[in-house]
Amino acid sequence: MIKKEDMEKLAQLSRVAVSSEELEVLKNDLESILGYVSEIQSVSEEAPERTAGSLRNVMRDDANAHESGTFTKKILGAAPRTDGDYIKVKQVL
Amino acid sequence: MANDLTKLTIAEASELLNDGEISSRELTEAVLASATHQNGDLNAYLEIFDDALASADEADARRRAGERAPLLGIPLAIKDNILIEGKRATSASKILENYIATYDATAIQKLKAAGAVFIGRTNMDEFAMGGSTENSAFGTTKNPHDTTRVPGGSSGGSAAAVAAHMALGALGSDTGGSIRQPASFCGVVGLKPTYGAISRSGLMAMASSLDQIGPFTRTVADAEILFNVLKGNDPLDSTSAPDSVWSDKKIEKKKLRIGVPEDFAFGKGVDKDVVENFKKSMEALAQEGHEIVPIKLAHITHSLAVYYILMPAEASTNLARFDGVRFGALKEGATLFDDYAQTRGAGFGREVRRRIMLGAYVLSSGYYDAYYHKATSVRALIEEDFKQAFDLSADGVDIIATPTSPTPAFKIGEKSADPLQMYLADIFTVPANLAGIPGISVPSGTAQRDGRDLPLGIQFLAPHFREDLLFVAGRSLESVAGRNA
C-alpha cells in the first residue's frame, strides 16, 4: 500500500502538480501496476556475468565545431521567456 | 497505369516514376486528396503539410535531371515525435502544442536526401505512451477497418495512414511494440529494427535503452527499401551501431529454421482466433519449406513486468526536460518550482503523469533494488535466452515467430480506464525491445468481429542486425497470406 503522503512526495519529486482527487486515482493505478510487476521478485537466478565487448569511443571527435552563435537565435526562439541572448527563469535560490 | 495511384506500393510507384508513366506531382496529388478526404473520419494526421506538392515538383525535377532513387518522389507520413525542421512537432502533447522543430532528425535528413515527399505528421499516443492512440491530446485515431476500434499504438496514426492509402509508407517509433502492434491492428507491415540500426537523433526520447525508429509499409519489400535508406551510423547518436555491422557477409538463406515459444505464444489471454491463425500460418510456412520447431525461452514471461519498470524509469528521466524553460508551453506559478509543476501538471496528460510518477517510484531510494535493479538483472536473463535460442551451433533457430498481438484491434474506450489491461496488449512485442533484437509484423489474414474482418499479424524476431532474415520470412508469409490490398 502506498501512503497518501508518499503520493504527494512522488508528485513533488516528479515536478507535476496533481489534484488530490487525481492523486487518489493515481495511487490505485500505481498499486495495481506495482502489484503486477512485482512478479519479477519470483526470479531467483542471478543475471549472467557480463564481460565488456571490444571497447570503442562512442563520443564524437571535437572536430568540425560550429561557429559560436550559429544556432542561438533558433534555439532561443523556442524558449517561452528570454532576455536578450539569455533564457529567463524565476529566482533559483 | 494503375487506376488508383494511392494503392501503389513504393516499389511499384518508383518503377512507374522511373518509366515516366506518372509524375510525383500526380502521385502526391492523389495521396493528398485521399488523406484530406478521409482524415475527418480517421484522424490519422494531426497536420497535412501545405508544401508536399512543392517537394513533389522538386523530386520530379531531380528525376528529369537523371536521378534515380527508390524513394524519389514517394509520399510518406511521419510520426509526430520525429523532428522536421520548421514544422510543428508535438508528440501529441499539449505541452508541445506550439513547438516548431529547430532541426531535422537524422532519419528525416536521409529521407530528404533520398527525395521523399512528406504528406504530414501523424497522430500517436502522447509521447508514444500507449497502445491505442487514445492518449493523444488531439483525439483518437480510428482503425480504417472498423472506425469503432483503435488502430493500435503508439504509432496508430502512421499505421492507419498507410492502411487507408493516405501515404505509401510512414515512419513510426517502437519502444515496446509501438510499430508492430498498430501494424498488426491495421493490416500493414511494421518493422522495429535492431537497437542502434537507425539513428535516433531528432526522435523525442521516451525510454532510451528501448526506443527505435522504423518503417510502416504495405509490403515487406517496401519495408526493406525504407530500412536500407534509414539505417547507418550517425555521429549525432552515440548508440547508433558502427557501419561495420552491416558489412559482415550474411549467409543468404531461403529456408529458415523458425522457433515457436509455444508456452508463451499460446498462453493465457491469447485470443482463440489469433492462435488458430498463427498455427495455420506456421503450417503454410512449413509447406514453403521452412522448418518449424518448438522452443523454450525460460524468462520471456517476465518481459512485460521488466518492461513496465524500466520504461517508466527511463521515461521519467527523459521527460524531465519538459519544464517550460527551454521549449514548449509554460504555465507560471509563484516560484520556479511552481513553474515546473504547473507547466507539467497542465501540459502532460493522465498516462504521461502516471508513467512519470511510476518511474520516480521505482527509482526512489528504498525501492530501487527491488524494482529497477532487479528488472535490469531479469532483462539480462531474457537477453541470454534469446542468445541461446539463436545459437545455431547448439541446435538453435534462425528466427522466432509469435503472434504480434494477443487480440485483434479492440474497441475505442474498451481498455482506457484500466492501464494494466492496456499494458497486457504489449506482451508479445516488448521482449524484442528488451533484448535489442529486430522484429517485424506481417499481415496474416483476418478474424471476424461484429461482421467486420479485422487484420491479424505474425511477428518474426531475429538476432541483432539480421533484418535480412526477417525480410526472407516476411516475404514468404506474404506469398502464402496474400497481399493486403
Side-chain angles (χ1 to χ4, degrees):
Chain A
M1 287 302 255
I2 308 174
K3 290 200 287 282
K4 188 153 187 281
E5 304 93 83
D6 288 340
M7 286 302 293
E8 280 161 6
K9 221 179 262 175
L10 264 187
Q12 209 172 17
L13 263 177
S14 307
R15 306 285 189 269
V16 180
V18 186
S19 69
S20 54
E21 298 86 66
E22 196 191 333
L23 220 50
E24 192 57 38
V25 178
L26 283 167
K27 178 174 123 62
N28 293 333
D29 290 347
L30 257 55
E31 280 173 353
S32 127
I33 297 165
L34 289 167
Y36 174 77
V37 300
S38 294
E39 64 100 344
I40 61 163
Q41 307 304 337
S42 69
V43 181
S44 53
E45 297 106 298
E46 285 298 312
E49 194 70 39
R50 297 267 197 133
T51 48
S54 58
L55 293 176
R56 64 187 173 93
N57 183 6
V58 297
M59 309 299 279
R60 63 178 178 275
D61 292 338
D62 283 340
N64 307 320
H66 63 78
E67 209 171 307
S68 171
T70 313
F71 303 108
T72 308
K73 229 181 120 191
K74 239 189 219 176
I75 290 168
L76 283 175
R81 277 184 311 189
T82 53
D83 183 357
D85 273 357
Y86 293 92
I87 285 171
K88 202 171 159 185
V89 293
K90 291 202 170 76
Q91 191 179 346
V92 177
L93 294 172
Chain B
M1 192 164 101
N3 291 327
D4 188 349
L5 299 181
T6 65
K7 295 197 169 151
L8 294 170
T9 66
I10 293 173
E12 288 165 355
S14 189
E15 204 178 311
L16 290 173
L17 285 163
N18 282 341
D19 292 346
E21 296 280 330
I22 58 169
S23 65
S24 175
R25 174 170 265 271
E26 287 167 337
L27 179 61
T28 304
E29 275 175 347
V31 170
L32 279 173
S34 163
T36 313
H37 176 68
Q38 296 182 80
N39 207 46
D41 288 336
L42 298 179
N43 198 27
Y45 284 105
L46 292 175
E47 182 187 1
I48 296 172
F49 298 143
D50 55 13
D51 58 358
L53 285 175
S55 311
D57 288 343
E58 216 174 287
D60 283 332
R62 280 167 66 175
R63 203 171 241 111
R64 274 196 302 275
E67 190 176 334
R68 294 287 180 270
L71 291 181
L72 189 55
I74 301 292
L76 301 177
I78 307 296
K79 189 178 182 180
D80 198 30
N81 60 352
I82 300 173
L83 306 189
I84 306 175
E85 188 177 346
K87 303 274 188 218
R88 219 165 277 272
T90 72
S91 257
S93 178
K94 286 252 179 267
I95 209 165
L96 290 177
E97 192 166 6
N98 296 308
Y99 175 70
I100 308 286
T102 50
Y103 64 99
D104 277 334
T106 299
I108 293 299
Q109 266 178 15
K110 288 190 172 194
L111 290 180
K112 280 183 174 175
V117 172
F118 303 138
I119 295 296
R121 52 190 179 87
T122 54
N123 202 3
M124 55 186 282
D125 286 296
E126 183 179 3
F127 287 108
M129 296 182 185
S132 67
T133 77
E134 290 167 293
N135 295 331
S136 167
F138 307 113
T140 305
T141 297
K142 315 284 188 345
N143 191 313
H145 297 271
D146 177 351
T147 52
T148 67
R149 291 177 186 271
V150 303
S154 66
S155 317
S158 287
V162 174
H165 307 106
M166 301 158 85
L168 270 62
L171 288 194
S173 64
D174 189 314
T175 304
S178 284
I179 290 174
R180 290 159 288 156
Q181 184 253 26
S184 168
F185 280 11
C186 290
V188 298
V189 174
L191 171 72
K192 183 210 88 82
T194 308
Y195 184 76
I198 296 174
S199 167
R200 301 178 300 175
S201 172
L203 167 70
M204 292 186 203
M206 169 156 72
S208 299
S209 78
L210 305 160
D211 298 340
Q212 193 41 209
I213 290 177
F216 286 94
T217 52
R218 291 199 284 268
T219 65
V220 174
D222 283 359
E224 191 169 2
I225 291 172
L226 267 169
F227 176 66
N228 284 333
V229 169
L230 294 166
K231 74 178 180 189
N233 181 255
D234 177 14
L236 297 179
D237 176 0
S238 63
T239 61
S240 75
D243 286 328
S244 57
V245 299
W246 306 108
S247 57
D248 301 343
K249 256 281 121 303
K250 312 285 191 207
I251 307 149
E252 267 286 319
K253 263 196 156 167
K254 294 276 177 272
K255 304 296 172 204
L256 303 172
R257 231 170 108 76
I258 304 175
V260 177
E262 292 184 345
D263 300 347
F264 182 55
F266 310 143
K268 207 176 102 210
V270 185
D271 186 275
K272 189 165 72 41
D273 290 338
V274 169
V275 171
E276 196 181 315
N277 174 276
F278 179 80
K279 286 182 173 166
K280 272 194 188 144
S281 303
M282 290 307 115
E283 281 165 25
L285 286 174
Q287 278 174 6
E288 290 291 291
H290 303 292
E291 187 189 353
I292 314 292
V293 291
I295 59 163
K296 286 241 181 305
L297 294 163
H299 302 90
I300 198 165
T301 48
H302 300 296
S303 298
L304 202 64
V306 170
Y307 178 77
Y308 276 98
I309 292 169
L310 298 182
M311 175 273 297
E314 294 185 30
S316 74
T317 314
N318 270 324
L319 268 67
R321 76 193 66 195
F322 298 102
D323 54 8
V325 172
R326 286 155 301 159
F327 36 69
L330 166 69
K331 190 174 174 206
E332 290 204 56
T335 63
L336 182 59
F337 181 91
D338 290 341
D339 277 6
Y340 298 150
Q342 292 296 329
T343 295
R344 291 160 63 81
F348 290 142
R350 168 79 51 95
E351 177 66 14
V352 177
R353 295 199 291 267
R354 186 186 289 134
R355 291 200 194 183
I356 289 174
M357 288 177 64
L358 182 59
Y361 185 91
V362 299
L363 288 174
S364 58
S365 162
Y367 299 105
Y368 175 88
D369 279 332
Y371 290 105
Y372 186 78
H373 185 72
K374 182 73 186 175
T376 54
S377 162
V378 180
R379 178 186 194 170
L381 291 168
I382 294 167
E383 286 173 38
E384 197 56 31
D385 286 348
F386 276 110
K387 217 165 116 191
Q388 280 174 16
F390 289 131
D391 185 355
L392 291 172
S393 67
D395 212 23
V397 293
D398 295 305
I399 59 165
I400 292 169
T402 69
T404 308
S405 167
T407 64
F410 46 87
K411 290 265 187 194
I412 292 168
E414 188 181 323
K415 296 177 196 275
S416 48
D418 185 348
L420 193 55
Q421 277 307 310
M422 185 73 87
Y423 296 173
L424 289 169
D426 296 338
I427 189 143
F428 291 131
T429 47
V430 295
N433 301 78
L434 293 176
I437 58 175
I440 195 170
S441 178
V442 182
S444 64
T446 55
Q448 219 178 51
R449 291 287 184 280
D450 310 332
R452 298 242 184 194
D453 288 325
L454 301 178
L456 298 174
I458 302 286
Q459 171 181 245
F460 296 112
L461 304 172
H464 295 97
F465 307 110
R466 292 310 304 269
E467 279 81 355
D468 59 320
L469 296 174
L470 298 180
F471 298 138
V472 171
R475 277 194 296 267
S476 206
L477 180 63
E478 247 173 6
S479 71
V480 293
R483 202 190 116 199
N484 166 59

